[in-house]
Amino acid sequence: MNLKGRHFLTLKDFTPEEIQYLIDFSAYLKDKKKKGILVDELKGKNVALIFEKTSTRTRCSFEVAAHDLGMGTTYLDPSGSQIGKKESIADTARVLGRMYEGIEYRGYGQEIVEELAKYAGVPVWNGLTNEDHPTQMIADLLTIQEHKGTLKGLKFVYMGDARYNMGNALMIACAKMGLHFTACAPKEYFPNETLVKECEAYAKVSGGSITLTEDVTTGTKDADVIYTDVWVSMGEPDEVWEARIKDLLPYQVNKKAMEKAKPDAIFIHCLPAFHDLKTTIGKEISKKFGLEEMEVTDEVFESSQSVVFDEAENRMHSIKAIMAATLGMEMK
């Protein structure tokens, strides 16, 4: 399968076969890495990493993946780029496209990464926007495939705030790949209606389905995968914490929720997670609201059903596959 020169902005742009290829390519490169076999076929190439929002996993994944492939990287943090400030997005794209073979963007509106792709002349990869998180999806799907042996037909439940990048991206990924996606959340936290209809059309083709429910009991019943994310996204003001906690506490992933799922169900979280008081924000939230854990309990996070660190590792392998495929490498 030839994905050379393609941008990676949203899974809506890819067929189920192309998505499966990227999952399989990720597994292939992971196997090579574990065996100590070099795959540095992209020596001499360089990529620019634009981070308007900071990240541990995404930055490390791109840098290690690029290094493994033989490429150099330039990291542009929020203060290290003039994108959208002194220089337009289009001009930034055209400059970086002359110097680099690929550009990663992690930041705000989807329209920014779309404009970068329009003008760059080289592959652009979406490391996260407010609306989507496609690189995360390949890692998530790889993790599910590793633990469940399949994707098609699984019941996938996302609990919490399903309105933004993670809820959107997971719904698209499940719909494309034939999983039965359930958003378990208060009604006002459901995904955008237009996107739901798009995903229902994808699911009709793939054999999957889309369900939106406020009921935790029916939502989690017989789930194969339960997934959650932090309740307050990066960049949102502290004031929203009180409202989110009040609205979403009934949708916390705890032992009771996991017991409604299948006995062999897995738990995934894209991290970071507020499951204890070992972080500065966790301590602040505890002091203000009296909670020791939020979107997931420590009991579930540290349980044998939790595959959060398998997923975190898979970010690197999947990002490596995405860059490799769009820069012209193939599985051998």
Side-chain angles (χ1 to χ4, degrees):
M1 187 169 290
N2 185 6
L3 300 180
K4 186 177 181 180
R6 294 274 295 275
H7 301 300
F8 193 80
L9 311 180
T10 174
L11 289 193
K12 290 195 279 185
D13 296 336
F14 291 81
T15 66
E17 293 76 20
E18 289 169 336
I19 295 168
Q20 187 62 57
Y21 175 78
L22 288 171
I23 297 167
D24 294 342
F25 200 176
S26 304
Y28 167 84
L29 291 170
K30 181 175 183 176
D31 181 63
K32 295 288 186 187
K33 175 91 170 175
K34 297 292 184 185
K35 291 175 178 174
I37 300 170
L38 291 177
V39 287
D40 53 348
E41 296 175 31
L42 299 179
K43 278 182 181 174
K45 296 185 184 297
N46 295 281
V47 295
L49 309 177
I50 303 171
F51 279 72
E52 291 195 295
K53 287 183 180 179
T54 57
S55 168
T56 301
R57 277 152 300 283
T58 304
R59 177 181 177 178
C60 293
S61 295
F62 268 100
E63 289 191 342
V64 174
H67 179 270
D68 283 358
L69 292 169
M71 297 192 292
T73 59
T74 300
Y75 175 74
L76 299 170
D77 67 15
S79 64
S81 166
Q82 299 298 339
I83 185 169
K85 300 167 195 166
K86 291 183 179 178
E87 187 168 55
S88 71
I89 294 162
D91 288 356
T92 300
R94 287 180 285 191
V95 169
L96 295 180
R98 297 291 185 98
M99 300 180 182
Y100 297 93
E101 279 76 27
I103 302 168
E104 179 271 351
Y105 173 82
R106 179 183 175 92
Y108 297 96
Q110 182 74 10
E111 70 278 0
I112 298 173
V113 76
E114 298 278 354
E115 190 170 1
L116 279 170
K118 181 178 178 181
Y119 291 99
V122 296
V124 172
W125 308 297
N126 181 356
L128 174 139
T129 60
N130 293 338
E131 296 85 1
D132 213 331
H133 200 356
T135 56
Q136 180 78 49
M137 294 306 100
I138 303 301
D140 291 341
L141 292 170
L142 171 62
T143 306
I144 296 167
Q145 182 172 281
E146 286 177 338
H147 284 273
K148 306 303 290 183
T150 188
L151 296 172
K152 208 169 180 67
L154 295 178
K155 180 176 180 180
F156 182 105
V157 181
Y158 181 79
M159 296 182 71
D161 189 347
R163 297 173 296 174
Y164 301 122
N165 45 33
M166 285 306 302
N168 292 345
L170 287 165
M171 183 167 62
I172 295 165
C174 289
K176 285 271 188 176
M177 301 308 291
L179 288 82
H180 300 293
F181 176 86
T182 296
C184 189
K187 194 170 185 179
E188 60 270 27
Y189 291 81
F190 283 174
N192 174 274
E193 193 174 326
T194 302
L195 182 60
V196 170
K197 288 180 179 175
E198 277 186 76
C199 289
E200 285 174 339
Y202 298 145
K204 191 174 181 180
V205 175
S206 70
S209 63
I210 305 297
T211 301
L212 309 179
T213 183
E214 296 183 88
D215 188 274
V216 175
T217 299
T218 58
T220 56
K221 183 174 169 40
D222 294 328
D224 294 289
V225 182
I226 293 184
Y227 199 118
T228 195
D229 189 15
V230 292
W231 290 341
V232 176
S233 299
M234 286 186 293
E236 292 188 280
D238 291 343
E239 304 83 69
V240 305
W241 276 108
E242 186 172 6
R244 295 283 170 82
I245 288 170
K246 180 184 174 185
D247 292 340
L248 296 175
L249 196 55
Y251 299 90
Q252 180 189 67
V253 180
N254 49 37
K255 184 180 179 183
K256 190 176 177 182
M258 292 302 295
E259 284 175 346
K260 292 184 179 72
K262 290 179 181 175
D264 62 346
I266 58 173
F267 168 73
I268 311 183
H269 191 307
C270 56
L271 303 180
F274 296 124
H275 61 99
D276 56 26
L277 300 181
K278 296 177 182 176
T279 64
T280 302
I281 293 176
K283 288 172 185 172
E284 289 173 0
I285 296 303
S286 177
K287 191 174 179 180
K288 287 181 183 177
F289 304 107
L291 292 175
E292 293 190 3
E293 46 205 2
M294 279 182 282
E295 73 276 6
V296 58
T297 62
D298 195 57
E299 181 180 28
V300 171
F301 188 89
E302 297 291 356
S303 73
S304 60
Q305 290 176 284
S306 174
V307 298
V308 296
F309 296 109
D310 292 344
E311 187 280 331
E313 178 192 337
N314 283 340
R315 291 280 281 133
M316 189 270 289
H317 303 299
S318 57
I319 281 170
K320 189 188 294 186
I322 291 162
M323 289 196 294
T326 54
L327 292 175
M329 270 184 63
E330 296 178 5
M331 283 194 285
K332 291 181 178 151

